[in-house]
Amino acid sequence: MPNRKTDETLQEILEEDNTNVRKTRRKSPIARILLIITILVVFFFGFLYVTQYLADMEAEARVRAILTVSANPAYTNENNSVDIATATVEVVPTETVEIVTATVDPDLERTATIAAQLTSVAEFQATETPAE
C-alpha cells in the first residue's frame, strides 16, 4: 500500500508540472506585437538618424565648396556673392608648382622625420629573407 500512495503522489506532481509547463510556454500575442513594434520603431529612428547624418555631411561639403570658390576673387561678383554657375576648375600645370621641402616648424619637421623612419621600418619588415 505505501508504494501506491507514493506512486499516486508522484503522478499528481508530474501532472501539475505538465500543466504548469504548458501554461508558461504560451506567450501572449500582445507581448509579441509590442516586441515587433519596438523593433520597427528602433529601425525607423535609426534610419532617420543615418539619413540626417548624411544630409549634414552633404550640407557641410556644400558650404566648404562655396567657401573654397569664394576664396578665389575671379568668381565673385560686385556684391561679394559667389556665382557657382561660372565657377570652373582650372588645371594647374605641374611645371609651375614648386615643392618646398624646407620647413621652419620644428613639430612639422619632427613629424616628417618620424614618418620617414616608420616608412623605412615598414619597408624593412616587408622584405623577405631567403630560406636556407
Side-chain angles (χ1 to χ4, degrees), residues 98-110 112:
E98 293 181 23
I99 300 174
V100 180
T101 56
T103 58
V104 192
D105 187 19
D107 290 336
L108 189 59
E109 218 172 90
R110 184 168 189 265

Side-chain angles (χ1 to χ4, degrees), residues 65 68 79 92 108 120:
T68 303
N79 302 337
V92 179
L108 189 59
S120 174

Side-chain angles (χ1 to χ4, degrees), residues 10-57:
L10 285 174
Q11 292 262 339
E12 290 175 4
I13 292 172
L14 289 174
E15 287 176 10
E16 287 178 12
D17 285 344
N18 285 339
T19 57
N20 288 340
V21 168
R22 287 181 195 152
K23 289 180 183 176
T24 57
R25 283 187 186 169
R26 291 187 177 176
K27 291 185 180 178
S28 68
I30 295 173
R32 289 183 182 173
I33 291 172
L34 286 176
L35 180 67
I36 291 171
I37 289 174
T38 304
I39 291 172
L40 289 175
V41 166
V42 167
F43 279 128
F44 176 72
F45 281 113
F47 174 75
L48 287 180
Y49 178 77
V50 169
T51 305
Q52 184 63 38
Y53 179 73
L54 293 175
D56 289 343
M57 284 180 48

